[in-house]
């Protein structure tokens, strides 16, 4: 049964490692009363923020594999451009509805909450929602940091 799907085991192992690193990077509960700096010590050794980088590499590999694997070597430039645009259009239509849903859930939670220290004022919350919809939130966060953004301060 395992040979039927022909999965690349090395890629699957990289995915497992990157998932574990991302979970560690987001896991504030690693700091316990027994050892309050456990998460920082672990972060200094494992570099959990590299999990996202690994995901980007895996994603780029698969996207390149799909685009190059499905295109024909003798395709004209116009056909290659059309093929690539169609590929990215399909990815956008598959991913955007879920992203829009969760971005809107976060906006709604912020509007309902009375904790302005966490969520900020309604104008900046809407601005953060809007920049998230257009996939420029990381650039906006560099100018106007938010308590909701992941702040990693591990010892190097």
């Amino acid at each position: 049964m395992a040979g039927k799907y022909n999965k690349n085991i090395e890629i699957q192992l990289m995915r497992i490692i990157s998932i574990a690193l991302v979970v560690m990077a987001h896991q504030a509960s690693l700091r316990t009363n027994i050892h309050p700096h456990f998460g920082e010590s672990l972060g200094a050794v494992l570099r959990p923020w590299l999990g996202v980088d690994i995901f980007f590499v895996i994603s780029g590999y698969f996207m390149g594999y799909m685009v190059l694997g499905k295109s024909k070597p003798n395709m004209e430039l116009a056909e290659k451009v059309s093929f690539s645009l169609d590929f990215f259009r399909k990815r956008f239509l598959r991913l955007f509805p879920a992203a829009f849903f969760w971005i809107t859930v976060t906006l709604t939670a912020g509007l309902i909450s009375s904790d302005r220290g966490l969520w900020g004022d309604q104008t900046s919350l809407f601005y953060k929602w809007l920049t998230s919809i257009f996939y420029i939130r990381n650039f906006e966060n560099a100018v106007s940091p938010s308590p909701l953004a992941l702040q990693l301060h591990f010892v190097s």
Side-chain angles (χ1 to χ4, degrees):
M1 192 79 171
K4 179 181 177 183
Y5 296 109
N6 198 18
K7 290 195 179 215
N8 186 332
I9 192 69
E10 289 84 6
I11 296 289
Q12 301 306 320
L13 290 172
M14 284 177 53
R15 288 178 65 204
I16 290 168
I17 291 168
S18 62
I19 289 168
L21 290 172
V22 168
V23 168
M24 274 190 262
H26 287 83
Q27 187 58 264
S29 66
L30 289 176
R31 293 178 181 91
T32 64
N33 291 336
I34 299 168
H35 195 302
H37 301 291
F38 177 73
E40 293 170 4
S41 303
L42 194 62
V45 174
L46 295 178
R47 311 279 193 239
W49 55 89
L50 290 176
V52 174
D53 296 341
I54 294 170
F55 271 123
F56 278 126
V57 170
I58 293 170
S59 179
Y61 169 78
F62 278 124
M63 288 174 61
Y65 182 79
M66 285 189 276
V67 169
L68 293 175
K70 292 181 181 178
S71 65
K72 298 175 186 85
N74 58 351
M75 286 175 94
E76 296 289 325
L77 179 61
E79 288 178 293
K80 288 181 182 181
V81 169
S82 175
F83 180 79
S84 297
L85 288 175
D86 187 52
F87 173 81
F88 287 111
R89 181 186 61 80
K90 287 178 183 176
R91 293 301 172 272
F92 176 81
L93 292 175
R94 183 172 59 92
L95 298 173
F96 185 74
F100 181 81
F101 173 78
W102 287 112
I103 293 166
T104 304
V105 165
T106 304
L107 171 71
T108 305
L111 293 174
I112 292 172
S113 173
S114 60
D115 186 358
R116 292 294 146 225
L118 175 63
W119 297 97
D121 64 284
Q122 292 181 349
T123 304
S124 67
L125 188 61
F126 177 75
Y127 184 69
K128 291 177 188 318
W129 175 83
L130 193 61
T131 56
S132 295
I133 294 298
F134 289 105
Y135 292 100
I136 56 172
R137 176 74 180 97
N138 289 340
F139 300 109
E140 190 272 336
N141 193 56
V143 176
S144 174
S146 164
L148 293 175
L150 178 63
Q151 302 293 328
L152 294 173
H153 300 286
F154 291 111
V155 179
S156 296

